[in-house]
Amino acid sequence: MSDCLCCSRQTAEREKRKHKYTQANIQDDILQREDGPLCAAEIGSELQKQFAILPGGRGINGSPVIFFPEFPTFNELEEDEIQNVLSYLTSVPSVAASGVGFILVIDRRLDRWAAVRATLLRIAGSFPGNLHLVLVLRPTTLLQRTLSDFLFKYNKDEFKMKVVMLSSVTELHAYIDPGQLTTELGGTQEYCHDSWISHRTAIEAFALMVKTTAQTLQAFGTELAETELPNDGEATTNLLHTHSLKKDKMKEDLQVALSQGGRLLECINEPLQTDPEYSMTHDELENLATVQRLLGQLDETETAFDDFWERHRTKLEQCLQLRHFETHFREVRAQLDVTLERLSGFSEVSVSPVHAEHVLRELSGHEERACDVLDYAISLANEGDRLIENSHYAEDSIRPKCSELREVCEEISSTLRSKKSFLLRAMELHHALDKASRWCEEGIFLLASQPVDRCQSQDGAEAALQELERYLDTAPLHTVTDRSAICCQYEAVLNSQLRDQIDKVFQKQSSVQEMFEKRRISLKKLAAKQTRPVQPVAPRPEVKSPQSSPNQQRKERRNSADNVICKKVESPLHNGGTRHASLSEEEENLAVLRRHVMNELLETERAYVEELLCVLEGYAAEMDNPAMAHLIPSTLLSKKDVLFGNMSEIYQFHKRTFLKELEAYTDCPELVGRCFLERMKDLQIYEAYCQNKPRSESLWRQCSDCAFFQECQKKLEHKLGLDSYLLKPVQRITKYQLLLKEMLKYSKRCNGCDDLQEALSSILGILKAVNDSMHLIAITGYEGNLSELGRLLMQGSFSVWTEHKKGHAKVKDLARFKPMQRHLFLHEKALLFCKRREENGEGYEKAPSYSFKHSLSMSAVGITENAKGDNKKFEIWCNSREEVFIVQAATPEIKTAWVNEIRKVLTQQLKAYRDASQQKSSDSVSPSPTSSSLSPFRSSNQKNQKKQEEKKVEPNPASDTNSSSSPKHKGWNKASLSVDASEENDGYSSGEDPMNSDPDDEVGKKLAPGKYTVVADCEKAGPQELSVKSGDVVQLIKEGEEGQWFVKNLRSSKDGWVAEANLLSLISESKSSQSLSSSDDSVSGNLSTSSSCSETYTSYSDIKP
């Protein structure tokens, strides 16, 4: 038998990605001849006939012995059967044994010569191997033996092989040792044909398994050797995993083959285990050697495969390392490019010390971010070095990348060092210039702050002179002296802007020193001049400061140094030249103050822009960072717009537009109001941010403790949390009006004063609109569209009482001691009544909400400016006073503002109605109707109507002061604008005095001291108020302030204060006292006796808006 196990190794790496797998061919007889003998399993039936066997014996010369036992039907066998069995038997011995030649022993002792001759002829024609000798045990009968002797000699040549006729077994022993013969031939060899077939079948199955395993391993090795290495890490990982699974399967098959070979080896050695003196036949020894050889081949195959797989696995792992290295290289290279691009585009030019510090902070921020990238890049380069040290196959690809990373890192580090050094030098120059500039400004301030009146005496002049001398002594420590030396020292950082600043500082120093020198000369003259004391006199009116009176100036002198500067123009000297000098000094001082305000505006604006960028990059951008995704809580997902609002839009506006335009006014700060006016529409973006602030605050409260915000704050090194920075836009928009006020204060006589005033008013308007919108969005329950009501004009909280008419009787909805608290929203087209509801929480979460209760259309309302004699109350009514709302403001000023605003709305409606009526009258052919027919009110005097309309259009401002004493001037009638009136009339005309629009108030009820009966319960609302119940008799003792009466309860003997408006609905006069009008009695009789604190007023659904 021969076995063939191929273990290949490829000798060259194909395209630098194929493995070496060398084929090692090991020859084995069983595997060598693929077209050779059949397997025992295939010819099992022929072998079972046992017409030819291979017992394993050997001749004297070592020739294998094939034994043909007695088989009477041998001549009847098919030729294929004989051919297959002989071919198989001749293939079993080794090649060396087969080369000596086979010995055939044919037992035909019981047969006839004819059969012997036929057998020999068939064997001679069918035997496939090398035939050494044929030994025939001839027939033993006398006749047949005689015939065989005679005929054999005659036919000997036709057999074509060496044939020896033997008469007995004894003669056979002369050719073959009895130990090599079976018992049938007189030998001692034990032979079991079934056992022999079983062994041969097992050996051949094992050999086939070894062959199959070898071929499978060879194919797998070829597949691995020809595998292209992937170009990405994921594919490499998948390929390594797939190959590992296949390798494990191959190893399992190999272990199965080794296990089967081991069992077969034990089976062959079994006779030796039972009988140590057992002597194996040559075939058994060859079988044992074959199995051992096959097992050895499997071991060698496994070792070779393991070695190959280790190289292949190492190659794949190195490939995976290379792919990861390349991926990280591309990432870090892109980051380095971005960093280098930012640094290349980063301008280190600065215009002021604050700007230089701001630029340095920006550069430090770039440096911090760059350090992370640089550390990552250096770490990656070191990793590449480790791969090279570990003999990575792609060393030629890794080494240039490592060198490239180090070169770029060095370039970035060098750029950072250069720019930082440049900035530090520039900051040093800026600080020197700024120090000199501050010295000049402080000197100007010193000159401006010296009291002129004290300088008139010799002692005062000497003291002022010494003060100037002391200040001038500090000049060497604060000023810059040599311009050429400065330029030479800082030549590396000088640019056109810095050169201009140097020129301005030297010019300023020269001017200040000149001013000091002039002041010194003047003071020296005053100190040297021996004159009697002169009493200061008031300045002449024509020289007097236009800003304030002398008394006011003296008061301001105590409070503000800025105003002291402004008062320098009031010189008590009669020297005109000195007065003009004072005026120029004042202008210079104001210019210094304006520059201070402008510097503060620019510095805070730059800091504000930087803070916005810090929030957007440090928090908002991180919400989209996959590396931070695991830290973001679920409540914060997809909520970036809610948390930050339109902060990005605000940042872009300030960064790209507003800051640059503000910087353009650095040298003319008094004109900065124009910048605000031009960008007033853009500044309205803050309204959207403020409206979103409650939602942002609520979301922040839910997530403020999450790890995401803590990590971001840690990276930014912020001491304050994100909520402090989210408040920055709200603080900034309010800061502008403070800065504009300051600028306006120092720019009264400048060209841009009007622009500053208009800009301040516009900013305040934006703040008011923002505040109003914050309240407006909190309204709930309104079913209509608030935007259809027109612009929101005013909003505020009031105390409200309601009245309405049922039939012909005027009834109050509610006999309440305390009024309803309502928040009113005045729009151009409607007035909304809402109930304020405070929410629990903190910050913006505590912002109130408003539940909608009622609305009145402005086209159907009228007002009474003074109600119940209270200067904080007014009435709003509609439909000829069928519904009346008594509104009490917190202060008279708030009431006046609301009345004026409502009057404006009604006046505008009246004008619009008149214009429409005139247009319609001019288009009509028929004469226009008389005013009496158009009026919704009864009037006896047409002339009076026209007069009253004129009053309504142009109300008398003094009417507020006279209305409390004159019942004819109590209200503002707007019922003529009602819907009903417009439907009944084609024109418009007022039918009554607009200041006397409430006829019922003509005979208003007045309280007088006396005894009265209470008709409704009322609990006290304060410690000084009185609690009464229905049926109690009370005595009104005296009238106090703000419509309060001091009342004593005669039943409980307690006293306290009660509002007059509530007394009218709570009491009726007793029989012993003077009586009220019958109308009051009827009202009292219809009032409920329940507590007045409950809201049982008429439903607003009955009122038509």
Side-chain angles (χ1 to χ4, degrees):
M1 283 190 302
S2 66
D3 296 312
C4 177
L5 178 63
C6 299
C7 181
S8 62
R9 295 182 181 179
Q10 189 173 348
T11 58
E13 184 180 28
R14 183 176 10 173
E15 299 176 357
K16 297 184 179 180
R17 292 179 179 175
K18 294 186 179 180
H19 302 274
K20 296 179 181 179
Y21 191 71
T22 306
Q23 301 289 338
N25 297 323
I26 303 175
Q27 302 296 329
D28 184 78
D29 292 339
I30 295 178
L31 300 179
Q32 179 183 9
R33 296 187 289 263
E34 295 184 358
D35 298 333
L38 299 174
C39 297
E42 296 177 354
I43 58 173
S45 59
E46 288 88 342
L47 291 175
Q48 287 292 343
K49 293 181 179 180
Q50 204 172 345
F51 60 84
I53 62 175
L54 185 67
R58 291 289 187 270
I60 296 174
N61 60 349
S63 299
V65 178
I66 298 178
F67 177 46
F68 289 83
E70 288 285 353
F71 197 83
T73 61
F74 181 83
N75 292 330
E76 298 177 3
L77 294 173
E78 297 291 337
E79 189 66 28
D80 292 340
E81 291 180 327
I82 297 174
Q83 184 68 36
N84 290 338
V85 171
L86 292 180
S87 297
Y88 177 75
L89 293 179
T90 55
S91 67
V92 171
S94 64
V95 176
S98 300
V100 177
F102 287 91
I103 297 177
L104 304 184
V105 177
I106 304 174
D107 185 5
R108 291 292 183 266
R109 287 175 292 179
L110 301 179
D111 210 342
R112 295 177 295 107
W113 166 249
V116 172
R117 177 175 175 273
T119 298
L120 291 174
L121 290 175
R122 295 193 69 176
I123 291 173
S126 303
F127 194 78
N130 182 16
L131 191 56
H132 173 66
L133 179 64
V134 178
L135 300 176
V136 181
L137 290 175
R138 62 184 178 179
T140 57
T141 62
L142 179 62
L143 178 60
Q144 294 300 325
R145 184 172 61 220
T146 303
L147 288 174
S148 61
D149 289 339
F150 175 76
L151 294 176
F152 173 72
K153 294 179 182 178
Y154 181 77
N155 298 324
K156 182 177 182 180
D157 294 336
E158 68 178 319
F159 297 137
K160 299 180 180 180
M161 57 184 177
K162 185 177 180 181
V163 181
V164 177
M165 288 292 181
L166 301 176
S167 298
S168 63
V169 175
T170 304
E171 295 179 3
L172 178 61
H173 292 170
Y175 293 93
I176 302 174
D177 186 86
Q180 302 296 323
L181 297 174
T182 62
T183 56
E184 297 178 7
L185 299 176
T188 59
Q189 182 181 7
E190 295 181 359
Y191 174 76
C192 178
H193 190 63
D194 292 336
S195 178
W196 182 87
I197 293 176
S198 176
H199 282 182
R200 290 306 307 171
T201 302
I203 292 172
E204 291 170 357
F206 176 63
L208 181 61
M209 178 180 290
V210 172
K211 179 181 179 180
T212 303
T213 302
Q215 291 175 346
T216 304
L217 291 177
Q218 178 181 352
F220 182 55
T222 303
E223 177 186 352
L224 297 184
E226 295 179 352
T227 299
E228 292 286 341
L229 296 179
N231 292 324
D232 61 278
E234 183 178 1
T236 304
T237 302
N238 295 336
L239 182 63
L240 181 59
H241 178 69
T242 302
H243 284 181
S244 298
L245 293 178
K246 289 185 178 180
K247 185 267 297 183
D248 293 340
K249 182 65 171 60
M250 296 293 103
K251 290 286 289 185
E252 289 179 2
D253 295 342
L254 197 60
Q255 291 300 323
V256 170
L258 288 171
S259 177
Q260 183 173 343
R263 290 193 299 270
L264 183 58
L265 194 62
E266 292 177 358
C267 183
I268 295 175
N269 288 324
E270 183 178 0
L272 291 175
Q273 298 296 330
T274 57
D275 184 8
E277 296 181 358
Y278 176 78
S279 177
M280 291 185 176
T281 64
H282 288 282
D283 286 348
E284 288 176 339
L285 291 174
E286 287 186 357
N287 289 343
L288 180 63
T290 299
V291 173
Q292 290 175 343
R293 185 168 60 252
L294 291 174
L295 287 174
Q297 293 171 6
L298 283 178
D299 290 336
E300 293 177 2
T301 301
E302 182 180 20
T303 302
F305 178 75
D306 289 342
D307 180 64
F308 164 73
W309 168 254
E310 186 63 26
R311 292 198 307 274
H312 178 72
R313 183 186 60 80
T314 302
K315 189 72 171 286
L316 285 181
E317 289 179 349
Q318 289 183 348
C319 176
L320 184 60
Q321 293 171 350
L322 177 63
R323 298 300 174 248
H324 287 163
F325 177 81
E326 291 174 343
T327 301
H328 295 158
F329 173 80
R330 288 191 294 269
E331 292 175 356
V332 74
R333 191 65 177 88
Q335 295 177 11
L336 290 173
D337 290 341
V338 171
T339 302
L340 193 59
E341 183 179 357
R342 286 180 178 176
L343 290 178
S344 300
F346 182 81
S347 175
E348 61 271 27
V349 178
S350 55
V351 297
S352 67
V354 176
H355 187 213
E357 292 176 359
H358 173 75
V359 175
L360 184 59
R361 285 196 300 271
E362 285 189 352
L363 182 63
S364 298
H366 285 298
E367 185 177 12
E368 290 178 2
R369 290 188 288 271
C371 284
D372 296 337
V373 180
L374 292 178
D375 292 342
Y376 184 23
I378 295 300
S379 174
L380 186 61
N382 293 335
E383 181 182 348
D385 292 340
R386 286 191 297 271
L387 293 178
I388 294 174
E389 291 175 1
N390 293 332
S391 303
H392 197 284
Y393 70 89
E395 176 183 350
D396 295 339
S397 174
I398 297 174
R399 191 181 300 277
K401 290 182 172 63
C402 295
S403 301
E404 181 180 352
L405 288 176
R406 289 190 171 92
E407 291 174 0
V408 177
C409 289
E410 180 59 31
E411 181 180 359
I412 292 176
S413 300
S414 176
T415 303
L416 281 170
R417 288 193 299 269
S418 174
K419 289 184 178 293
K420 193 169 185 179
S421 175
F422 185 95
L423 271 175
L424 291 175
R425 292 287 292 167
M427 281 184 63
E428 183 180 342
L429 177 58
H430 276 304
H431 284 302
L433 297 177
D434 185 61
K435 188 177 181 180
S437 181
R438 284 199 307 271
W439 184 87
C440 293
E441 293 175 359
E442 291 172 1
I444 295 172
F445 189 83
L446 173 63
L447 293 175
S449 60
Q450 285 184 335
V452 180
D453 53 353
R454 286 199 300 126
C455 297
Q456 307 312 308
S457 65
Q458 184 176 5
D459 294 339
E462 288 179 353
L465 184 60
Q466 291 176 2
E467 186 179 17
L468 293 184
E469 295 291 349
R470 286 194 301 270
Y471 192 80
L472 287 174
D473 290 341
T474 64
L477 300 176
H478 297 86
T479 58
V480 287
T481 55
D482 190 349
R483 188 183 185 283
S484 59
I486 291 292
C487 293
C488 180
Q489 183 179 358
Y490 297 99
E491 182 178 4
V493 299
L494 285 182
N495 51 46
S496 59
Q497 293 177 331
L498 281 176
R499 292 182 186 276
D500 293 342
Q501 289 186 21
I502 293 175
D503 293 339
K504 289 180 180 179
V505 168
F506 274 94
Q507 183 179 358
K508 194 171 186 178
Q509 287 181 168
S510 176
S511 300
V512 170
Q513 290 172 352
E514 183 180 353
M515 292 171 61
F516 267 79
E517 186 62 27
K518 290 180 180 179
R519 179 65 62 88
R520 288 176 59 190
I521 294 173
S522 300
L523 290 175
K524 285 181 178 180
K525 289 180 180 179
L526 290 173
K529 187 177 181 181
Q530 300 295 330
T531 59
R532 62 182 180 86
V534 179
Q535 181 179 359
V537 298
R540 292 180 297 176
E542 62 270 16
V543 188
K544 183 178 179 181
S545 172
Q547 295 188 4
S548 59
S549 66
N551 292 332
Q552 291 173 335
Q553 290 178 350
R554 283 193 294 272
K555 182 178 180 180
E556 291 171 357
R557 186 183 295 116
R558 293 191 298 268
N559 299 330
S560 172
D562 298 339
N563 291 336
V564 171
I565 298 174
C566 297
K567 295 194 296 293
K568 283 292 292 178
V569 298
E570 295 190 10
S571 173
L573 302 178
H574 297 283
N575 190 323
T578 305
R579 184 180 303 114
H580 290 302
S582 299
L583 287 173
S584 62
E585 289 180 7
E586 178 194 9
E587 291 300 327
E588 179 66 24
N589 296 336
L590 292 176
V592 170
L593 296 174
R594 287 195 296 271
R595 286 196 294 272
H596 276 304
V597 177
M598 191 64 192
N599 288 338
E600 182 181 0
L601 174 61
L602 290 175
E603 291 170 9
T604 54
E605 184 72 13
R606 295 186 186 107
Y608 173 59
V609 170
E610 182 181 2
E611 288 170 343
L612 291 183
L613 177 62
C614 189
V615 172
L616 293 174
E617 289 185 347
Y619 287 96
E622 289 297 312
M623 292 182 68
D624 299 327
N625 185 0
M628 301 283 285
H630 66 286
L631 299 177
I632 302 177
S634 58
T635 54
L636 195 59
L637 293 176
S638 304
K639 296 292 182 63
K640 183 168 71 173
D641 293 340
V642 176
L643 184 61
F644 298 98
N646 62 335
M647 181 180 286
S648 177
E649 181 184 4
I650 293 174
Y651 166 74
Q652 295 298 338
F653 164 66
H654 284 269
K655 175 68 175 178
R656 298 179 178 178
T657 305
F658 200 53
L659 177 57
K660 295 180 180 178
E661 293 182 359
L662 286 176
E663 291 174 343
Y665 291 90
T666 303
D667 296 331
C668 47
E670 66 276 2
L671 302 180
V672 76
R674 300 176 184 175
C675 180
F676 281 90
L677 291 176
E678 292 172 357
R679 293 298 171 184
M680 199 57 63
K681 186 175 180 181
D682 295 318
L683 289 171
Q684 293 176 359
I685 58 178
Y686 280 90
E687 184 172 344
Y689 185 86
C690 293
Q691 289 177 355
N692 180 69
K693 196 66 177 71
R695 299 173 61 206
S696 173
E697 184 78 7
S698 177
L699 182 60
W700 163 256
R701 293 292 179 188
Q702 299 176 38
C703 310
S704 58
D705 296 332
C706 71
F708 171 75
F709 290 127
Q710 295 176 1
E711 182 66 20
C712 292
Q713 184 176 349
K714 181 179 178 181
K715 287 182 178 180
L716 295 172
E717 298 182 356
H718 283 176
K719 296 181 179 179
L720 300 177
L722 173 61
D723 55 331
S724 300
Y725 291 90
L726 293 177
L727 196 59
K728 293 292 183 181
V730 181
Q731 295 172 337
R732 189 58 185 170
I733 191 64
T734 56
K735 178 72 173 178
Y736 286 137
Q737 56 103 3
L738 299 176
L739 293 170
L740 287 174
K741 284 180 181 178
E742 286 295 309
M743 186 66 75
L744 183 61
K745 178 180 177 182
Y746 305 129
S747 308
K748 293 295 184 181
R749 289 175 292 186
C750 298
N751 293 332
C753 180
D754 295 339
D755 291 336
L756 286 170
Q757 183 63 56
E758 185 178 354
L760 176 59
S761 300
S762 300
I763 286 290
L764 292 175
I766 289 179
L767 294 177
K768 180 182 180 300
V770 169
N771 184 55
D772 290 344
S773 66
M774 294 291 289
H775 289 274
L776 194 61
I777 62 175
I779 296 178
T780 60
Y782 183 75
E783 297 181 355
N785 188 351
L786 291 174
S787 61
E788 296 178 356
L789 303 182
R791 186 166 53 94
L792 177 62
L793 304 176
M794 300 187 76
Q795 53 86 22
S797 296
F798 297 88
S799 300
V800 179
W801 293 264
T802 62
E803 296 177 1
H804 74 280
K805 288 183 178 180
K806 294 183 179 178
H808 299 286
K810 182 177 180 182
V811 181
K812 293 187 177 179
D813 284 347
L814 180 58
R816 57 169 60 241
F817 185 72
K818 292 198 302 183
M820 297 179 292
Q821 298 301 318
R822 292 290 181 262
H823 201 89
L824 273 59
F825 294 86
L826 176 61
H827 292 261
E828 292 176 324
K829 298 181 181 180
L831 178 64
L832 303 185
F833 291 78
C834 299
K835 185 174 182 179
R836 180 187 178 102
R837 300 186 186 277
E838 292 289 349
E839 301 292 340
N840 297 325
E842 298 179 2
Y844 281 91
E845 289 187 353
K846 200 174 181 181
S849 64
Y850 303 98
S851 299
F852 171 75
K853 294 298 183 181
H854 184 55
S855 66
L856 296 177
S857 174
M858 294 303 295
S859 63
V861 304
I863 61 170
T864 302
E865 296 188 22
N866 292 282
K868 309 301 181 185
D870 190 342
N871 62 351
K872 294 186 292 185
K873 291 182 180 178
F874 63 97
E875 291 183 351
I876 302 174
W877 45 269
C878 65
N879 298 334
S880 300
R881 297 190 61 83
E882 288 185 1
E883 296 164 322
V884 180
F885 299 87
I886 303 173
V887 182
Q888 183 179 22
T891 63
E893 290 76 13
I894 295 178
K895 170 226 171 176
T896 302
W898 272 74
V899 169
N900 291 338
E901 193 65 36
I902 295 176
R903 183 189 295 122
K904 289 180 184 178
V905 175
L906 299 181
T907 303
Q908 292 171 359
Q909 292 182 351
L910 176 61
K911 183 178 179 181
Y913 189 85
R914 281 180 173 173
D915 293 343
S917 299
Q918 292 175 1
Q919 182 66 28
K920 189 171 184 180
S921 299
S922 62
D923 295 340
S924 176
V925 179
S926 60
S928 59
T930 61
S931 60
S932 60
S933 63
L934 297 176
S935 175
F937 303 101
R938 294 184 179 90
S939 176
S940 59
N941 194 318
Q942 200 71 309
K943 182 177 181 180
N944 186 45
Q945 288 183 7
K946 184 175 181 181
K947 182 178 180 181
Q948 300 304 334
E949 288 181 1
E950 293 173 354
K951 287 184 179 180
K952 191 168 186 177
V953 176
E954 299 178 0
N956 185 6
S959 62
D960 295 342
T961 61
N962 300 330
S963 59
S964 59
S965 60
S966 175
K968 292 184 180 181
H969 299 280
K970 294 184 63 178
W972 178 270
N973 178 18
K974 201 64 189 71
S976 58
L977 290 179
S978 66
V979 178
D980 299 336
S982 62
E983 291 176 353
E984 295 177 2
N985 303 285
D986 295 332
Y988 174 80
S989 176
S990 177
E992 59 177 312
D993 191 337
M995 303 307 294
N996 186 20
S997 57
D998 189 354
D1000 293 333
D1001 288 340
E1002 300 263 350
V1003 287
K1005 294 171 288 186
K1006 291 292 183 179
L1007 292 173
K1011 295 181 180 180
Y1012 298 88
T1013 301
V1014 178
V1015 296
D1017 296 344
C1018 181
E1019 298 294 334
K1020 62 179 181 180
Q1024 297 181 353
E1025 296 185 1
L1026 181 64
S1027 175
V1028 295
K1029 293 185 178 181
S1030 178
D1032 289 350
V1033 178
V1034 296
Q1035 182 175 5
L1036 274 62
I1037 298 176
K1038 64 176 181 178
E1039 184 177 7
E1041 298 179 354
E1042 298 182 356
Q1044 299 282 329
W1045 276 83
F1046 190 74
V1047 180
K1048 182 174 182 180
N1049 191 335
L1050 299 179
R1051 174 175 295 182
S1052 63
S1053 299
K1054 295 181 179 180
D1055 52 25
W1057 292 93
V1058 181
E1060 178 184 5
N1062 293 308
L1063 284 173
L1064 292 174
S1065 60
L1066 290 175
I1067 64 176
S1068 65
E1069 188 179 8
S1070 64
K1071 294 181 180 179
S1072 62
S1073 303
Q1074 54 185 338
S1075 63
L1076 293 172
S1077 65
S1078 59
S1079 61
D1080 290 337
D1081 294 337
S1082 63
V1083 171
S1084 301
N1086 290 330
L1087 287 176
S1088 171
T1089 59
S1090 62
S1091 173
S1092 63
C1093 295
S1094 62
E1095 297 182 2
T1096 56
Y1097 50 86
T1098 303
S1099 172
Y1100 285 129
S1101 62
D1102 298 334
I1103 301 176
K1104 298 180 180 179

